[in-house]
Amino acid sequence: MRKLLPVLFAATLFLSAFMLFWIEPLTGKMFLPLLGGTPAVWNTCLLFFQTGLLAGYLYALILSRALSLRKQITTHVVMLIIAALINLPIGLTTGVIQSVPRDTLNPAWWLFGRLTMTVGAVFFVISATNTLLQQWFAGARQDTKRDPYFLFAASNAGSLIALLAFPLILEPRFASTVQHKAWSAAYLLLLTLIITCAATVWRVAKPNAKPSIEKSDTNDDDASSLQYETPNDEAMPPDFRRRAWWVLLAFAPSSLMLGVTTYISIDIAALPLLWIVPLTLYLMTFVIAFAARDVRRTARLARLVSRGLPGAGLILVLVYLSGAQEPAWFLIGVHLVFFFVAALAAHARLAATRPAAFHLAEFYLWLSVGGALGGVFNAIIAPQIFGDVYEYPLAIVLACALRFASSNERTDAAHGESQATKRKFLHGVLSRDVLRSDILPSVVIGTLTVVLAFVATYFRIGMIEGLGLVLGVPLLISYVWLRGRVVGFALALGGVMLGSSFYMSDRTRTLASERNFFGVLRVSQTRGGNVRRLYHGTTLHGRQYTDIVRNCDPLSYYHRASPLGAIFAAFHASRRGDNDSTNPETNDDAARVAVVGLGTGAMIMHARQEEQWTFYEINPTIERLARDPQYFTYLEVCAPVRADTVLGDARLRLREAADKSFDMIFLDAFSSDAIPVHLLTKEAMSLYLSKLKPDGLLAFHISNRNLDLRFVLANAASEYGLTAINFEDSNAEKNPDKDASEWMAMTRNQAIAQNLLEDKRAERIAARPRARVWSDDFTNIFEVLK
C-alpha cells in the first residue's frame, strides 16, 4: 500500500486540478450571454477564481498550522460535503437570469456575487485540496525523502489537460447541461478519492501531530522533508521582503495575462477558446518553472529566459503602439510570445525562491495573493481610474522590470536568487545609482520620442515613415543603450509609450472618452472639425458630419448606397408591391423595426414615417452619447421617427417583446470589432424568429477584420428554412466617410428575397453540407478565421 500511496495522491491531485480548470471556462461561458458577450465577463470570472484560490490557500494554511493532522482531515471532508450540498448540481437558476442588471455601467459586482452563489463553495474547497493533500502526503512518514513539491507536477498536468480538453473535446461534443452533470458527478468521485487519501494518512498520523521540519543529511534536492511531529526552531518563517517578492512576481504575470486576454478577445470574439490560450500559456510557465527540483537550475532558467525579454518587449511595444490591426494571427502571436517569455521569467524567479515544504501552504497563499491582486487591478481598479486600457502597457513595463539582470551576479545557493538584485529592486529604486543609470536615461528616451512626434507632425511625414521615426528610433536606442539595465530598459519602454501618445493624439481631437464594464468609448473630431466619430476600443462604430447641410446624412456603414440601404429599399419595395424605392419619404403601412446595437443611431435615417423603431443596447454610455446633440444628432434632431431604447442584453430583453411583433430585426451589435457570439447561435436565431412576423426580414451586420461569418449564418438560416442573401460592399464611391460593409439578410418572404437579389452586390449563400450549426454549446472559431 505504501508504494501505491504516491499514485493515489497524484491521481487525486490530478482530478482536483482538472476539475478546477474545467469549471473555469464552463462557468465563464455560462455567464457570458447574460452580459452581452463582453470580454470583461471573463476578466471578472478570472478575478473570482483567483480570489477563490486565495481563500482556499488561506483556509489550507490555517488548517495546517492550527489543527492536528486528524482534525484537518475531519474538517476538510466535512467542508467538501457541505459545499456539495450548497452548489451541486451546478447551473444557472431562473432567479440568477432574472436578476441580471439592465442599465448598470459596471455589473462586475453583480457577476462576482452570482458566481459565488453558483460555484463559490465547491471551487473554494477544491482549491484548498491541492495544498492540504501535499501536506498530508508529507505527513504520511514515507520512506522516501522526496518533498511534496513533486505532486505539483500532477496538479499542473491535470490543469493543462483540462484547459486543452475543454475547447477541443468537451465543448464541441457535449452540451453545457451535460457537462454540468458530468462535473457534478466528478465532484463525488473526487470526494471519494480524498476520503481514501485521508484514511491512509489517518492510520499513520499521531493523534496530536503538528507539522515541522525534520533535518536531513541528503543533498540540496532533498534538503527538506516534511514530517508531522512537534514543531522545532528550524522552521523559520520567510521574512517580509521575501513574501513581498513572491507577491510581486505573481502579480505581474497575472495582470499581464488579463491584459493580453482582453486584447485578443475584444477584436476577435469573446470565446472560451481565446480565453484559454493565455491561461494555458500561463499555466505552462508554472509547469516549466517548477519542474526542476534544484533551485539553482531554476535560477539559471530564469536568467536564460530574461535575456530574450528585452527583444520580445521591443517588438511587442512597436506592434502595439503602431495600432496595427492585421493580420490577426501575427498580432496575436507577438502578444502571446511576449506574455509567455515574461511569465516564464517571473515564475522561474518564484520557483527559485520557494521555501521548505513546511512553508508550502504559506508560499501558495502569497502566490495566490499576487495573482488575485493582479485580477483586482485589471478587473476592478483599472476601469475605475483609467480612461483607457493603460493597465496592459503598465504590466508590460513591470514584467520587463522583474527580469534577471544580464550581468553575471553571484547566485545565492539556498534560494537561487541574487540577493543584491532583490534588495535593489525592493529597497533601492531611488538610489543614486538607479537615478543616474536608469531613471535619467529613460527620461531622455521619453523626451526624444516627444520631440520626434512633433517633428513628424510638423513636416507631415507619412504614416509608415512617421511610425518608424517616432517609435522605431527610440526603441532601437533603448535596446542598444539600456537592455543591460533591468529597470532602465523597462522605464525606457514606458517613456516611449508615453511620448508616442503626443503623436497619436495629434491626428484627431478627443471630445469625450469613457470606460466602463463594456469597454472604452471615445468620441473624436477630425482636425478640420467637419466629422465626428465614435470608437469602441479600436473599431469605428459610426460617423456624422457636423455642418448643418449634411449632418443628417447617414455615414460609415449605414450610408444610403450601402448594403444596408439596399436591404431597406428591398423591404419597403415589397410592402408597396412595386420596385419604386427612390423616394425615402414614401409613407408605407407602419412597420415595427427592432435594432440590436445603437452606435451613433445613424441607422434610423433609413426609417419611414410612422414606423415604430426600438433599439436594444446593453451599454448605457452609448445611449447617452448617441442622444447628446453636442456629439451626435441622428436620434434627437434628424430622425424621421421617434425611437425607443431598451437597455440590457438583447437576448434577454427581446424575450419580453410580443411574439410575431416585428417586421424587421437588425443585428448590429459589436464589442470593438468582435460580434458577440451568443447573438449568432441557433438558439438566438430561434428567439429572433419568434419575435419576427412570418413574412418579415432578419439582417446581420457581419463586417469584420478577422472572421468570415457568412456560412455560420447560412447554416443557421438553412436550419430554419430561411433564404440567406449576403451583401458585400467594396465602397465603390471611394468616400472616406462611407465605409465598406458586409450584411446578410434572411427571409421566408420570396418577394423580399427577389428584391434583394436584384442588387448586383447580392449573393445567395447556401449552407455548407454536413456543417454543424453554431449553438450556445458549440462554436468553432478556426473554421471562420480569415
Side-chain angles (χ1 to χ4, degrees):
M1 181 64 184
R2 185 164 293 189
K3 292 182 179 180
L4 296 177
L5 200 58
V7 177
L8 173 62
F9 273 80
T12 307
L13 280 169
F14 177 91
L15 179 60
S16 172
F18 185 94
M19 293 180 63
L20 276 182
F21 283 86
W22 178 10
I23 200 173
E24 289 190 18
L26 184 61
T27 304
K29 185 176 180 180
M30 185 165 51
F31 278 92
L32 184 66
L34 301 183
L35 294 171
T38 176
V41 172
W42 178 240
N43 277 4
T44 306
C45 288
L46 277 181
L47 170 61
F48 168 78
F49 294 130
Q50 289 169 327
T51 306
L53 284 173
L54 172 60
Y57 288 150
L58 180 60
Y59 158 78
L61 176 63
I62 293 173
L63 252 63
S64 64
R65 297 294 173 86
L67 301 179
S68 65
L69 181 56
R70 288 188 175 182
K71 289 181 179 179
Q72 290 178 39
I73 292 172
T74 302
T75 301
H76 191 56
V77 170
V78 170
M79 290 290 288
L80 286 162
I81 295 173
I82 292 174
L85 295 175
I86 294 174
N87 286 150
L88 297 187
I90 62 172
L92 288 177
T93 64
T94 303
V96 170
I97 296 174
Q98 293 177 345
S99 69
V100 176
R102 291 172 178 252
D103 56 357
T104 179
L105 293 175
N106 188 8
W109 291 115
W110 174 89
L111 177 57
F112 201 94
R114 296 311 181 273
L115 285 166
T116 303
M117 293 170 52
T118 306
V119 297
V122 290
F123 190 87
F124 165 73
V125 291
I126 295 178
S127 64
T129 298
N130 188 316
T131 303
L132 288 173
L133 282 178
Q134 291 188 49
Q135 295 206 17
W136 295 354
F137 174 81
R141 293 184 176 277
Q142 292 296 291
D143 295 333
T144 176
K145 295 293 185 181
R146 296 172 71 185
D147 66 52
Y149 279 105
F150 83 93
L151 291 173
F152 197 60
S155 174
N156 284 331
S159 305
L160 277 174
I161 292 175
L163 288 176
L164 295 175
F166 185 82
L168 300 178
I169 299 174
L170 297 173
E171 186 184 24
R173 290 171 173 77
F174 302 101
S176 296
T177 53
V178 174
Q179 292 190 61
H180 295 162
K181 294 177 182 177
W183 194 94
S184 300
Y187 183 91
L188 299 179
L189 174 61
L190 177 64
L191 177 59
T192 303
L193 289 174
I194 292 173
I195 292 174
T196 305
C197 291
T200 60
V201 175
W202 186 284
R203 291 196 299 268
V204 297
K206 297 179 181 180
N208 297 312
K210 290 288 187 73
S212 71
I213 293 291
E214 182 181 85
K215 291 281 288 183
S216 173
D217 295 330
T218 57
N219 58 29
D220 289 339
D221 286 359
D222 304 308
S224 57
S225 180
L226 181 66
Q227 301 293 334
Y228 278 82
E229 295 180 349
T230 305
N232 56 45
D233 294 335
E234 308 225 4
M236 298 299 294
D239 59 14
F240 172 80
R241 183 191 307 165
R242 198 171 178 194
R243 289 166 176 155
W245 189 239
W246 290 339
V247 170
L248 187 60
L249 288 171
F251 171 89
S254 173
S255 177
L256 197 61
M257 176 184 64
L258 292 171
V260 75
T261 302
T262 299
Y263 170 82
I264 291 174
S265 57
I266 198 170
D267 277 343
I268 298 181
L271 289 172
L273 174 63
L274 299 181
W275 304 337
I276 285 172
V277 172
L279 186 57
T280 302
L281 294 177
Y282 178 80
L283 189 61
M284 286 178 62
T285 62
F286 263 115
V287 173
I288 297 171
F290 283 87
R293 294 174 57 208
D294 186 346
V295 293
R296 289 169 295 191
R297 187 182 305 169
T298 306
R300 288 194 293 271
L301 172 65
R303 200 179 297 278
L304 177 64
V305 174
S306 294
R307 291 174 183 169
L309 197 54
L314 183 147
I315 296 172
L316 173 65
V317 171
L318 178 61
V319 170
Y320 182 68
L321 295 180
S322 70
Q325 297 175 337
E326 297 178 18
W329 63 268
F330 172 76
L331 299 177
I332 292 174
V334 169
H335 286 261
L336 290 179
V337 166
F338 174 83
F339 167 66
F340 180 80
V341 173
L344 181 57
H347 289 155
R349 298 198 78 174
L350 264 176
T353 61
R354 63 183 185 262
F358 176 79
H359 298 291
L360 178 145
E362 182 181 1
F363 177 63
Y364 287 154
L365 174 66
W366 291 114
L367 262 63
S368 63
V369 167
L373 287 177
V376 169
F377 178 68
N378 281 59
I380 303 297
I381 297 176
Q384 299 299 320
I385 64 175
F386 296 143
D388 209 330
V389 190
Y390 296 129
E391 64 272 18
Y392 184 36
L394 285 175
I396 294 171
V397 171
L398 178 60
C400 290
L402 292 176
R403 66 185 175 94
F404 255 125
S406 58
S407 58
N408 294 322
E409 301 171 6
R410 185 178 61 84
T411 299
D412 180 75
H415 306 308
E417 274 276 19
S418 164
Q419 299 301 314
T421 299
K422 286 191 292 184
R423 280 196 299 272
K424 175 181 174 181
F425 189 89
L426 293 173
H427 299 288
V429 171
L430 297 180
S431 67
R432 183 177 300 177
D433 177 63
V434 171
L435 178 64
R436 182 182 66 253
S437 302
D438 294 326
I439 296 179
L440 288 180
S442 64
V443 171
V444 171
I445 294 295
T447 304
L448 174 64
T449 306
V450 174
V451 171
L452 293 176
F454 281 110
V455 168
T457 302
Y458 182 80
F459 289 101
R460 297 188 179 276
I461 298 176
M463 173 67 75
I464 302 299
E465 296 82 359
L467 291 174
L469 179 66
V470 178
L471 301 179
V473 172
L475 287 173
L476 184 60
I477 294 175
S478 301
Y479 183 78
V480 174
W481 183 18
L482 296 172
R483 71 178 184 273
R485 301 290 304 182
V486 175
V487 176
F489 181 77
L491 292 177
L493 291 183
V496 174
M497 293 178 185
L498 187 61
S500 64
S501 63
F502 290 90
Y503 180 62
M504 307 301 176
S505 63
D506 184 72
R507 301 176 183 275
T508 58
R509 183 166 67 94
T510 298
L511 302 179
S513 180
E514 188 168 329
R515 181 180 183 183
N516 59 28
F517 184 82
F518 304 101
V520 179
L521 292 168
R522 181 168 56 90
V523 179
S524 67
Q525 187 167 291
T526 55
R527 286 183 184 178
N530 62 322
V531 178
R532 292 192 184 125
R533 300 184 179 115
L534 175 65
Y535 286 92
H536 186 183
T538 62
T539 301
L540 178 72
H541 277 214
R543 292 185 179 93
Q544 185 176 18
Y545 289 129
T546 57
D547 62 273
I548 194 169
V549 176
R550 301 182 297 168
N551 68 341
C552 290
D553 293 343
L555 299 179
S556 192
Y557 318 107
Y558 313 103
H559 59 92
R560 297 202 183 278
S562 67
L564 176 67
I567 292 172
F568 272 105
F571 175 80
H572 290 139
S574 69
R575 290 176 67 83
R576 288 198 309 273
D578 58 51
N579 292 321
D580 180 17
S581 58
T582 60
N583 182 7
E585 301 301 324
T586 300
N587 186 11
D588 299 326
D589 294 337
R592 292 196 65 196
V593 181
V595 181
V596 177
L598 177 59
T600 62
M603 194 185 294
I604 202 169
M605 299 312 300
H606 294 274
R608 298 294 178 89
Q609 291 178 2
E610 298 185 11
E611 287 183 346
Q612 300 176 44
W613 280 57
T614 304
F615 285 95
Y616 290 84
E617 175 56 54
I618 194 170
N619 192 339
T621 302
I622 286 184
E623 187 201 18
R624 180 171 56 79
L625 293 174
R627 292 192 180 277
D628 190 337
Q630 67 176 319
Y631 301 127
F632 303 101
T633 60
Y634 287 127
L635 291 175
E636 297 300 313
V637 177
C638 299
V641 297
R642 180 69 183 177
D644 297 324
T645 303
V646 177
L647 292 176
D649 180 74
R651 276 188 58 174
L652 296 179
R653 301 304 165 223
L654 268 172
R655 294 177 185 175
E656 301 167 359
D659 288 345
K660 311 300 180 183
S661 59
F662 291 111
D663 297 278
M664 289 188 286
I665 297 178
F666 290 87
L667 278 297
D668 186 34
F670 286 81
S671 177
S672 190
D673 195 47
I675 301 172
V677 172
H678 73 290
L679 298 179
L680 304 176
T681 63
K682 66 179 182 180
E683 291 86 354
M685 189 77 71
S686 176
L687 173 65
Y688 307 147
L689 294 177
S690 71
K691 306 302 177 183
L692 190 68
K693 292 180 180 179
D695 60 347
L697 182 145
L698 182 63
F700 293 80
H701 186 188
I702 58 173
S703 304
N704 195 275
R705 292 190 295 262
N706 303 305
L707 304 180
D708 181 0
L709 298 170
R710 291 175 302 165
F711 291 102
V712 170
L713 292 173
N715 294 339
S718 176
E719 183 90 355
Y720 291 98
L722 298 169
T723 300
I725 300 172
N726 191 69
F727 289 80
E728 188 168 5
D729 182 22
S730 60
N731 192 22
E733 294 187 24
K734 304 301 180 183
N735 186 328
D737 298 319
K738 297 180 179 180
D739 298 293
S741 62
E742 185 173 7
W743 294 76
M744 178 169 284
M746 303 177 187
T747 185
R748 295 190 181 102
N749 187 323
Q750 293 306 307
I752 295 178
Q754 187 61 40
N755 289 337
L756 290 170
L757 289 169
E758 289 179 3
D759 191 291
K760 63 181 181 180
R761 297 166 297 183
E763 178 187 7
R764 189 190 296 265
I765 303 293
R768 283 178 171 170
R770 296 184 300 278
R772 187 171 177 183
V773 178
W774 281 19
S775 67
D776 289 346
D777 293 319
F778 168 79
T779 53
N780 185 350
I781 197 71
F782 294 113
E783 69 180 6
V784 296
L785 286 173
K786 289 184 178 178

